[in-house]
Amino acid sequence: GASEEEESELSQSENDDATWVSWFCSLKGNEFFVEVDEDFIQDDFNLTGLSTQVPFYEHALDLILDVDAPRDAGLSEEQQDSIEAAAELLYGLIHARYIITPRGLAGMLDKFKHIHFGRCPRVYCQGQAVLPVGQSDIPRTHTCKTFCPKCADIHYPRSSRHANIDGAYFGTTFCHLFLQSYWDLVPPPPREQYVPRIFGFRIYKKERAPQQQQALAGGARGGGGGG
């Protein structure tokens, strides 16, 4: 909202030494992001194809790199707001590329070790540290989820602030490449699994199977809608 923008402007004016990148990464809710090196952003090769995905591309890039460009003069407040939103999108997409480089992986390793991404909510994963993951590399498709290396499943982040981040800012590759790069951090799968019981008796899945098959068949016939 407007109050957040006002706060961001205040914090920027109070601390002129802070770069846009460090300011952005220090915002509440942006704890999953690492600071992308400026030389990575300045290398055109790393930005290939992004100019077609981001509106106000040149302005957004100038904002991220703290360039006071003369082209920014005379822009309306509405255009400035659009440029700020574009800068966030551009940084997110650059971030997804950066975190699969050796330096980016090392930055995320530090966050992983300090549990910045949270823990798996499953009881039998016993507080296993998780990693951010995207279900798509295309922006505005899915929100960010967390991947647990113990149960190998994805979950919604615990904080709603993190749950609103675009999953494309982390991408589909990062967490799996991370675990291949730091294979010694991959935990063994959970030793126990929850067993549903009624009056102490185990519920056998085969007893439920015919009903489940009927339900699934019904869903398929109905086009999978409604339910």
Side-chain angles (χ1 to χ4, degrees):
S3 62
E4 280 175 18
E5 280 162 27
E6 282 163 21
E7 276 175 32
S8 73
E9 282 168 25
L10 278 171
S11 62
Q12 272 188 311
S13 60
E14 278 170 19
N15 189 2
D16 289 335
D17 298 335
T19 62
W20 184 92
V21 171
S22 62
W23 163 78
F24 177 78
C25 292
S26 69
L27 289 177
K28 233 177 188 174
N30 285 355
E31 292 85 358
F32 283 12
F33 291 93
V34 287
E35 292 191 24
V36 177
D37 291 337
E38 195 173 306
D39 55 358
F40 182 88
I41 302 170
Q42 284 174 331
D43 186 340
D44 289 341
F45 177 75
N46 297 325
L47 311 183
T48 305
L50 294 183
S51 59
T52 57
Q53 293 187 59
V54 180
F56 297 103
Y57 174 79
E58 295 293 342
H59 291 88
L61 189 57
D62 285 346
L63 183 59
I64 289 172
L65 291 170
D66 304 293
V67 175
D68 290 326
R71 61 170 157 248
D72 289 349
L75 289 171
S76 69
E77 205 172 313
E78 203 175 319
Q79 285 172 318
Q80 289 282 9
D81 288 347
S82 299
I83 289 164
E84 282 175 29
E88 183 178 332
L89 171 63
L90 179 57
Y91 185 76
L93 296 175
I94 293 169
H95 184 267
R97 295 178 177 193
Y98 178 71
I99 58 174
I100 56 174
T101 67
R103 262 153 64 183
L105 284 164
M108 294 297 264
L109 172 65
D110 189 56
K111 284 185 163 288
F112 178 74
K113 284 182 170 175
H114 289 93
I115 327 286
H116 286 191
F117 308 124
R119 298 178 184 275
C120 181
R122 287 184 80 250
V123 169
Y124 293 117
C125 285
Q126 298 175 314
Q128 170 63 46
V130 294
L131 290 159
V133 65
Q135 288 170 274
S136 171
D137 295 303
I138 300 161
R140 301 187 185 93
T141 314
H142 293 281
T143 53
C144 176
K145 309 297 186 297
T146 55
F147 175 82
C148 172
K150 199 167 179 75
C151 64
D153 207 352
I154 61 171
H155 308 273
Y156 288 103
R158 194 159 286 183
S159 161
S160 60
R161 284 199 301 268
H162 299 144
N164 288 324
I165 299 171
D166 197 313
Y169 299 168
F170 300 92
T172 55
T173 297
F174 159 70
C175 70
H176 309 297
L177 184 65
F178 179 94
L179 293 167
Q180 281 198 348
S181 305
Y182 304 113
W183 52 268
D184 53 315
L185 294 177
V186 179
R191 283 201 294 272
E192 291 178 86
Q193 198 170 6
Y194 175 69
V195 179
R197 295 175 189 274
I198 294 177
F199 301 125
F201 294 102
R202 220 181 244 258
I203 303 167
Y204 286 98
K205 281 183 181 169
K206 60 186 175 188
E207 291 170 16
R208 299 187 298 177
Q211 291 165 312
Q212 282 180 330
Q213 280 166 352
Q214 271 184 321
L216 285 169
R221 279 200 301 274

